[in-house]
PDB file of all heavy atoms in Angstrom:
ATOM      1  N   ASP A  76     -16.947  60.324 -10.593  1.00  0.00           N
ATOM      2  CA  ASP A  76     -18.005  61.166 -10.101  1.00  0.00           C
ATOM      3  C   ASP A  76     -19.049  60.423  -9.296  1.00  0.00           C
ATOM      4  O   ASP A  76     -19.488  60.844  -8.209  1.00  0.00           O
ATOM      5  CB  ASP A  76     -18.645  61.980 -11.223  1.00  0.00           C
ATOM      6  CG  ASP A  76     -17.720  62.918 -11.962  1.00  0.00           C
ATOM      7  OD1 ASP A  76     -16.737  63.295 -11.406  1.00  0.00           O
ATOM      8  OD2 ASP A  76     -18.086  63.261 -13.126  1.00  0.00           O
ATOM      9  N   SER A  77     -19.409  59.272  -9.793  1.00  0.00           N
ATOM     10  CA  SER A  77     -20.419  58.450  -9.124  1.00  0.00           C
ATOM     11  C   SER A  77     -19.845  57.899  -7.771  1.00  0.00           C
ATOM     12  O   SER A  77     -20.533  57.844  -6.823  1.00  0.00           O
ATOM     13  CB  SER A  77     -20.866  57.309 -10.034  1.00  0.00           C
ATOM     14  OG  SER A  77     -21.394  57.787 -11.238  1.00  0.00           O
ATOM     15  N   ALA A  78     -18.555  57.523  -7.854  1.00  0.00           N
ATOM     16  CA  ALA A  78     -17.911  57.031  -6.611  1.00  0.00           C
ATOM     17  C   ALA A  78     -17.874  58.123  -5.563  1.00  0.00           C
ATOM     18  O   ALA A  78     -18.030  57.830  -4.354  1.00  0.00           O
ATOM     19  CB  ALA A  78     -16.533  56.461  -6.940  1.00  0.00           C
ATOM     20  N   TYR A  79     -17.651  59.334  -5.971  1.00  0.00           N
ATOM     21  CA  TYR A  79     -17.548  60.444  -5.018  1.00  0.00           C
ATOM     22  C   TYR A  79     -18.920  60.654  -4.385  1.00  0.00           C
ATOM     23  O   TYR A  79     -19.057  60.795  -3.129  1.00  0.00           O
ATOM     24  CB  TYR A  79     -17.164  61.766  -5.735  1.00  0.00           C
ATOM     25  CG  TYR A  79     -17.071  62.909  -4.781  1.00  0.00           C
ATOM     26  CD1 TYR A  79     -15.994  63.197  -4.018  1.00  0.00           C
ATOM     27  CD2 TYR A  79     -18.182  63.748  -4.648  1.00  0.00           C
ATOM     28  CE1 TYR A  79     -15.921  64.229  -3.136  1.00  0.00           C
ATOM     29  CE2 TYR A  79     -18.178  64.836  -3.748  1.00  0.00           C
ATOM     30  CZ  TYR A  79     -17.038  65.062  -3.071  1.00  0.00           C
ATOM     31  OH  TYR A  79     -17.050  66.085  -2.140  1.00  0.00           O
ATOM     32  N   VAL A  80     -20.038  60.650  -5.226  1.00  0.00           N
ATOM     33  CA  VAL A  80     -21.312  60.830  -4.662  1.00  0.00           C
ATOM     34  C   VAL A  80     -21.730  59.654  -3.714  1.00  0.00           C
ATOM     35  O   VAL A  80     -22.300  59.870  -2.666  1.00  0.00           O
ATOM     36  CB  VAL A  80     -22.380  61.083  -5.743  1.00  0.00           C
ATOM     37  CG1 VAL A  80     -23.795  61.061  -5.223  1.00  0.00           C
ATOM     38  CG2 VAL A  80     -22.083  62.401  -6.477  1.00  0.00           C
ATOM     39  N   ALA A  81     -21.363  58.455  -4.145  1.00  0.00           N
ATOM     40  CA  ALA A  81     -21.684  57.304  -3.259  1.00  0.00           C
ATOM     41  C   ALA A  81     -20.952  57.409  -1.948  1.00  0.00           C
ATOM     42  O   ALA A  81     -21.490  57.117  -0.885  1.00  0.00           O
ATOM     43  CB  ALA A  81     -21.267  56.016  -3.987  1.00  0.00           C
ATOM     44  N   SER A  82     -19.681  57.889  -1.982  1.00  0.00           N
ATOM     45  CA  SER A  82     -18.949  58.078  -0.722  1.00  0.00           C
ATOM     46  C   SER A  82     -19.569  59.204   0.128  1.00  0.00           C
ATOM     47  O   SER A  82     -19.660  59.041   1.372  1.00  0.00           O
ATOM     48  CB  SER A  82     -17.533  58.476  -1.065  1.00  0.00           C
ATOM     49  OG  SER A  82     -16.794  58.783   0.080  1.00  0.00           O
ATOM     50  N   PHE A  83     -20.055  60.258  -0.513  1.00  0.00           N
ATOM     51  CA  PHE A  83     -20.725  61.322   0.190  1.00  0.00           C
ATOM     52  C   PHE A  83     -21.947  60.798   0.871  1.00  0.00           C
ATOM     53  O   PHE A  83     -22.225  61.108   2.031  1.00  0.00           O
ATOM     54  CB  PHE A  83     -21.158  62.428  -0.805  1.00  0.00           C
ATOM     55  CG  PHE A  83     -21.844  63.568  -0.145  1.00  0.00           C
ATOM     56  CD1 PHE A  83     -21.113  64.682   0.310  1.00  0.00           C
ATOM     57  CD2 PHE A  83     -23.191  63.586   0.016  1.00  0.00           C
ATOM     58  CE1 PHE A  83     -21.723  65.731   0.920  1.00  0.00           C
ATOM     59  CE2 PHE A  83     -23.880  64.666   0.645  1.00  0.00           C
ATOM     60  CZ  PHE A  83     -23.159  65.756   1.083  1.00  0.00           C
ATOM     61  N   LEU A  84     -22.766  59.988   0.213  1.00  0.00           N
ATOM     62  CA  LEU A  84     -23.957  59.393   0.791  1.00  0.00           C
ATOM     63  C   LEU A  84     -23.551  58.511   2.016  1.00  0.00           C
ATOM     64  O   LEU A  84     -24.267  58.603   3.053  1.00  0.00           O
ATOM     65  CB  LEU A  84     -24.673  58.526  -0.244  1.00  0.00           C
ATOM     66  CG  LEU A  84     -25.314  59.265  -1.447  1.00  0.00           C
ATOM     67  CD1 LEU A  84     -25.912  58.174  -2.409  1.00  0.00           C
ATOM     68  CD2 LEU A  84     -26.270  60.301  -1.004  1.00  0.00           C
ATOM     69  N   ALA A  85     -22.534  57.806   1.906  1.00  0.00           N
ATOM     70  CA  ALA A  85     -22.145  56.876   3.034  1.00  0.00           C
ATOM     71  C   ALA A  85     -21.621  57.652   4.222  1.00  0.00           C
ATOM     72  O   ALA A  85     -21.897  57.203   5.348  1.00  0.00           O
ATOM     73  CB  ALA A  85     -20.972  55.957   2.520  1.00  0.00           C
ATOM     74  N   GLN A  86     -20.979  58.834   3.994  1.00  0.00           N
ATOM     75  CA  GLN A  86     -20.370  59.550   5.086  1.00  0.00           C
ATOM     76  C   GLN A  86     -21.250  60.632   5.645  1.00  0.00           C
ATOM     77  O   GLN A  86     -21.087  61.068   6.769  1.00  0.00           O
ATOM     78  CB  GLN A  86     -19.056  60.115   4.642  1.00  0.00           C
ATOM     79  CG  GLN A  86     -18.093  59.068   4.259  1.00  0.00           C
ATOM     80  CD  GLN A  86     -16.700  59.614   3.920  1.00  0.00           C
ATOM     81  OE1 GLN A  86     -16.055  60.173   4.804  1.00  0.00           O
ATOM     82  NE2 GLN A  86     -16.331  59.495   2.639  1.00  0.00           N
ATOM     83  N   ARG A  87     -22.172  61.262   4.847  1.00  0.00           N
ATOM     84  CA  ARG A  87     -22.943  62.386   5.242  1.00  0.00           C
ATOM     85  C   ARG A  87     -24.412  62.158   5.454  1.00  0.00           C
ATOM     86  O   ARG A  87     -25.067  63.065   5.892  1.00  0.00           O
ATOM     87  CB  ARG A  87     -22.759  63.486   4.244  1.00  0.00           C
ATOM     88  CG  ARG A  87     -21.280  64.001   4.082  1.00  0.00           C
ATOM     89  CD  ARG A  87     -20.940  64.900   5.179  1.00  0.00           C
ATOM     90  NE  ARG A  87     -21.583  66.257   5.020  1.00  0.00           N
ATOM     91  CZ  ARG A  87     -22.034  66.980   6.030  1.00  0.00           C
ATOM     92  NH1 ARG A  87     -21.932  66.585   7.278  1.00  0.00           N
ATOM     93  NH2 ARG A  87     -22.557  68.178   5.752  1.00  0.00           N
ATOM     94  N   THR A  88     -24.907  60.962   5.154  1.00  0.00           N
ATOM     95  CA  THR A  88     -26.324  60.691   5.373  1.00  0.00           C
ATOM     96  C   THR A  88     -26.483  59.459   6.163  1.00  0.00           C
ATOM     97  O   THR A  88     -25.616  58.555   6.264  1.00  0.00           O
ATOM     98  CB  THR A  88     -27.077  60.492   4.081  1.00  0.00           C
ATOM     99  OG1 THR A  88     -26.625  59.288   3.406  1.00  0.00           O
ATOM    100  CG2 THR A  88     -26.839  61.664   3.115  1.00  0.00           C
ATOM    101  N   SER A  89     -27.611  59.365   6.929  1.00  0.00           N
ATOM    102  CA  SER A  89     -28.015  58.191   7.599  1.00  0.00           C
ATOM    103  C   SER A  89     -29.480  57.973   7.335  1.00  0.00           C
ATOM    104  O   SER A  89     -30.305  58.933   7.373  1.00  0.00           O
ATOM    105  CB  SER A  89     -27.690  58.273   9.073  1.00  0.00           C
ATOM    106  OG  SER A  89     -28.358  59.341   9.620  1.00  0.00           O
ATOM    107  N   GLY A  90     -29.946  56.749   7.145  1.00  0.00           N
ATOM    108  CA  GLY A  90     -31.328  56.497   6.908  1.00  0.00           C
ATOM    109  C   GLY A  90     -31.630  56.681   5.402  1.00  0.00           C
ATOM    110  O   GLY A  90     -30.686  56.800   4.531  1.00  0.00           O
ATOM    111  N   PRO A  91     -32.955  56.697   5.095  1.00  0.00           N
ATOM    112  CA  PRO A  91     -33.282  56.764   3.703  1.00  0.00           C
ATOM    113  C   PRO A  91     -32.870  58.036   2.942  1.00  0.00           C
ATOM    114  O   PRO A  91     -32.837  59.087   3.597  1.00  0.00           O
ATOM    115  CB  PRO A  91     -34.836  56.557   3.723  1.00  0.00           C
ATOM    116  CG  PRO A  91     -35.244  57.103   5.059  1.00  0.00           C
ATOM    117  CD  PRO A  91     -34.114  56.652   5.944  1.00  0.00           C
ATOM    118  N   VAL A  92     -32.675  57.948   1.649  1.00  0.00           N
ATOM    119  CA  VAL A  92     -32.274  59.054   0.794  1.00  0.00           C
ATOM    120  C   VAL A  92     -33.122  59.155  -0.422  1.00  0.00           C
ATOM    121  O   VAL A  92     -33.447  58.104  -1.092  1.00  0.00           O
ATOM    122  CB  VAL A  92     -30.782  58.907   0.411  1.00  0.00           C
ATOM    123  CG1 VAL A  92     -30.465  59.968  -0.665  1.00  0.00           C
ATOM    124  CG2 VAL A  92     -29.917  59.060   1.610  1.00  0.00           C
ATOM    125  N   VAL A  93     -33.557  60.360  -0.744  1.00  0.00           N
ATOM    126  CA  VAL A  93     -34.119  60.602  -2.094  1.00  0.00           C
ATOM    127  C   VAL A  93     -33.004  61.331  -2.858  1.00  0.00           C
ATOM    128  O   VAL A  93     -32.545  62.354  -2.470  1.00  0.00           O
ATOM    129  CB  VAL A  93     -35.355  61.505  -2.077  1.00  0.00           C
ATOM    130  CG1 VAL A  93     -35.805  62.004  -3.435  1.00  0.00           C
ATOM    131  CG2 VAL A  93     -36.527  60.695  -1.471  1.00  0.00           C
ATOM    132  N   LEU A  94     -32.516  60.650  -3.951  1.00  0.00           N
ATOM    133  CA  LEU A  94     -31.417  61.229  -4.714  1.00  0.00           C
ATOM    134  C   LEU A  94     -31.931  61.844  -5.992  1.00  0.00           C
ATOM    135  O   LEU A  94     -32.658  61.263  -6.809  1.00  0.00           O
ATOM    136  CB  LEU A  94     -30.519  60.038  -5.016  1.00  0.00           C
ATOM    137  CG  LEU A  94     -29.092  60.236  -5.558  1.00  0.00           C
ATOM    138  CD1 LEU A  94     -28.326  61.190  -4.674  1.00  0.00           C
ATOM    139  CD2 LEU A  94     -28.351  58.986  -5.703  1.00  0.00           C
ATOM    140  N   VAL A  95     -31.476  63.105  -6.172  1.00  0.00           N
ATOM    141  CA  VAL A  95     -32.043  63.908  -7.318  1.00  0.00           C
ATOM    142  C   VAL A  95     -30.872  64.341  -8.180  1.00  0.00           C
ATOM    143  O   VAL A  95     -29.800  64.758  -7.748  1.00  0.00           O
ATOM    144  CB  VAL A  95     -32.760  65.144  -6.731  1.00  0.00           C
ATOM    145  CG1 VAL A  95     -33.399  66.034  -7.883  1.00  0.00           C
ATOM    146  CG2 VAL A  95     -33.762  64.842  -5.661  1.00  0.00           C
ATOM    147  N   GLY A  96     -31.065  64.222  -9.520  1.00  0.00           N
ATOM    148  CA  GLY A  96     -29.974  64.625 -10.455  1.00  0.00           C
ATOM    149  C   GLY A  96     -30.497  65.409 -11.609  1.00  0.00           C
ATOM    150  O   GLY A  96     -31.499  65.151 -12.123  1.00  0.00           O
ATOM    151  N   HIS A  97     -29.707  66.412 -11.972  1.00  0.00           N
ATOM    152  CA  HIS A  97     -29.979  67.216 -13.188  1.00  0.00           C
ATOM    153  C   HIS A  97     -28.996  66.975 -14.274  1.00  0.00           C
ATOM    154  O   HIS A  97     -27.798  66.909 -13.965  1.00  0.00           O
ATOM    155  CB  HIS A  97     -29.926  68.739 -12.820  1.00  0.00           C
ATOM    156  CG  HIS A  97     -30.021  69.629 -14.007  1.00  0.00           C
ATOM    157  ND1 HIS A  97     -28.934  70.441 -14.422  1.00  0.00           N
ATOM    158  CD2 HIS A  97     -31.033  69.838 -14.867  1.00  0.00           C
ATOM    159  CE1 HIS A  97     -29.329  71.029 -15.511  1.00  0.00           C
ATOM    160  NE2 HIS A  97     -30.493  70.761 -15.869  1.00  0.00           N
ATOM    161  N   SER A  98     -29.527  66.792 -15.435  1.00  0.00           N
ATOM    162  CA  SER A  98     -28.631  66.684 -16.647  1.00  0.00           C
ATOM    163  C   SER A  98     -27.648  65.473 -16.507  1.00  0.00           C
ATOM    164  O   SER A  98     -28.053  64.413 -16.168  1.00  0.00           O
ATOM    165  CB  SER A  98     -27.996  67.999 -16.922  1.00  0.00           C
ATOM    166  OG  SER A  98     -27.318  68.004 -18.189  1.00  0.00           O
ATOM    167  N   TYR A  99     -26.365  65.789 -16.624  1.00  0.00           N
ATOM    168  CA  TYR A  99     -25.296  64.759 -16.417  1.00  0.00           C
ATOM    169  C   TYR A  99     -25.427  64.209 -14.975  1.00  0.00           C
ATOM    170  O   TYR A  99     -25.050  63.082 -14.765  1.00  0.00           O
ATOM    171  CB  TYR A  99     -23.929  65.369 -16.694  1.00  0.00           C
ATOM    172  CG  TYR A  99     -22.752  64.508 -16.237  1.00  0.00           C
ATOM    173  CD1 TYR A  99     -22.400  63.373 -16.930  1.00  0.00           C
ATOM    174  CD2 TYR A  99     -22.076  64.892 -15.043  1.00  0.00           C
ATOM    175  CE1 TYR A  99     -21.339  62.625 -16.468  1.00  0.00           C
ATOM    176  CE2 TYR A  99     -20.985  64.148 -14.645  1.00  0.00           C
ATOM    177  CZ  TYR A  99     -20.641  63.034 -15.341  1.00  0.00           C
ATOM    178  OH  TYR A  99     -19.508  62.193 -14.964  1.00  0.00           O
TER     179      TYR A  99
END
Side-chain angles (χ1 to χ4, degrees):
D76 295 340
S77 302
Y79 178 86
V80 171
S82 175
F83 180 93
L84 296 177
Q86 298 184 65
R87 295 283 286 146
T88 69
S89 60
V92 171
V93 170
L94 192 54
V95 185
H97 170 246
S98 191
Y99 168 74

